[in-house]
Amino acid sequence: MSDDSRKSNGQGPEEPEGHEHVPSRQRRLFPGISSRAYEHPADRSALVALRKLSGFDTVFKALSGLLPERSLRLLFLSDSVRVSDQQFGHLHTMLRDACHILDLEKVPAMYVNQDPQPNAMCIGLDEPIIVVTTGLVELLDEEEMRAVVGHEVGHALSGHSVYRTILLFLTNLAVRVAWIPLGNLAIMAIVTGLREWFRKSELSADRAGLLVGQDLKASMRGLMKIAGGNHLHEMNVDAFLAQAEEYEAGGDLRDSVLKILNVLPRTHPFTTVRAAELKKWAESRDFQRIMDGHYPRRDEDKNTSVSDSFRESAASYASNVKNSKDPLMKLVADITGGAGDLGGRVRRGFGGNGANGNGGRGESPNGD
């Protein structure tokens, strides 16, 4: 990339001639930005730990012979449309734009796949591949799509494509060995762990999409459309966010357990939750510091402390538990805070009437 595009104040260039990565409108650039700048604490601590493991790269290179990456590349090459200047040119411009803003030197290959279901993914071990479906391309406008492309480039910059490929492989393997006693259980335990990590990585990539698009309203519109289709005139951002508030705070402990069971098989967090998390981050000091040009650089990644990342992750979880309105999280916070009458609180949480000291039988103090 040219030196002209790497101004110290982080501002975009003044349309330099002949530069193929010029953003379509004036937006901030983030030269040398590390993915640590936007990664969710839980996502970041897991990745830092994996990257620090001795022989980690060697193990995954050995695994590459077992994973169907070459097959996937050939499949998309033969049965999808590769984005370029000649095909889906507007997406190609967005892709180069996103890589320019996040300073990703090598632009990933990108394909459009015929599928009415709106979706996008970033996969690959050696080199990431970005795939978007026709359903998504037809659903989103330019700025909404820009946030999605930035989201996928964020996955590429973070190295998420490696783990997503492994997750796809193991999910398919679990189906094939379902008939083997205990074999499926062992694989599904790994898949469940990877899904939990991947849900956090989606929150990270949403942040990357915002850094690329730099338009929170467009990011919100895109998430609403993914949830409710192309009916923006029938939807409202504030009401959509209120759903996330109601989802988090509503119900009792039974609902909290159902929320956990509902999310376990998913690779993505629920859409209203993603919208609320992104809005919260957009209003944070961390986001403003990045926009002001103060963020971790890639050349500092080798000095990253695993213990510091775990402490930050633990602090983030503790803060989430403390501030959560979910009944189960409130109970956890009360337990860690030494709250008394635990049995009564649990009974009430599951719909019992233990407040009157009658063992939750629902009787009045007068025995009526």
Side-chain angles (χ1 to χ4, degrees), residues 4-233:
D4 293 338
S5 67
R6 300 189 176 190
K7 305 297 184 183
S8 59
N9 61 4
Q11 289 283 3
E14 294 290 336
E15 302 286 340
E17 292 185 8
H19 201 299
E20 63 176 354
H21 297 296
V22 176
S24 62
R25 61 180 171 83
Q26 192 78 358
R27 275 170 288 142
R28 288 190 177 275
L29 305 179
F30 306 102
I33 189 170
S34 168
S35 58
R36 291 181 292 118
Y38 58 80
E39 284 167 353
H40 187 281
D43 171 23
R44 188 187 315 144
S45 62
L47 288 179
V48 168
L50 285 173
R51 290 164 182 163
K52 289 286 185 178
L53 285 177
S54 176
F56 174 74
D57 291 338
T58 303
V59 170
F60 273 97
K61 284 180 181 177
L63 273 176
S64 65
L66 302 174
L67 299 178
E69 181 185 19
R70 295 177 67 88
S71 174
L72 286 172
R73 289 181 184 276
L74 290 171
L75 177 62
F76 290 123
L77 186 63
S78 63
D79 205 32
S80 299
V81 176
R82 183 162 58 191
V83 171
S84 66
D85 287 332
Q86 292 78 38
Q87 302 186 118
F88 290 99
H90 70 292
L91 292 181
H92 194 220
T93 300
M94 286 184 198
L95 177 62
R96 294 185 306 181
D97 181 6
C99 292
H100 181 48
I101 289 173
L102 294 180
D103 200 11
L104 185 62
E105 187 170 352
K106 188 167 185 178
V107 179
M110 184 175 181
Y111 293 89
V112 176
N113 184 45
Q114 171 62 29
D115 187 342
Q117 183 70 27
N119 198 12
M121 62 179 176
C122 182
I123 57 174
L125 292 178
D126 296 325
E127 295 182 3
I129 302 173
I130 295 174
V131 181
V132 297
T133 64
T134 51
L136 190 68
V137 174
E138 293 163 3
L139 178 65
L140 304 182
D141 67 24
E142 181 178 354
E143 292 304 313
E144 296 158 6
M145 194 68 198
R146 190 184 305 281
V148 169
V149 172
H151 174 112
E152 299 305 326
V153 170
H155 277 313
L157 182 59
S158 290
H160 291 161
S161 61
V162 173
Y163 315 110
R164 177 62 187 266
T165 305
I166 293 171
L167 178 58
L168 285 173
F169 172 73
L170 290 177
T171 302
N172 291 333
L173 183 62
V175 174
R176 294 176 185 176
V177 301
W179 60 275
I180 302 176
L182 299 181
N184 188 47
L185 290 178
I187 294 174
M188 287 310 300
I190 300 173
V191 168
T192 300
L194 277 171
R195 281 175 178 162
E196 169 61 19
W197 161 78
F198 198 80
R199 286 190 291 271
K200 298 298 187 294
S201 77
E202 285 298 301
L203 301 179
S204 298
D206 283 343
R207 296 174 178 185
L210 180 59
L211 291 177
V212 167
Q214 297 174 29
D215 185 345
L216 180 60
K217 290 181 179 178
S219 294
M220 290 292 166
R221 290 198 311 267
L223 288 170
M224 284 197 302
K225 283 185 176 181
I226 289 172
N230 194 13
H231 304 281
L232 274 179
H233 62 288

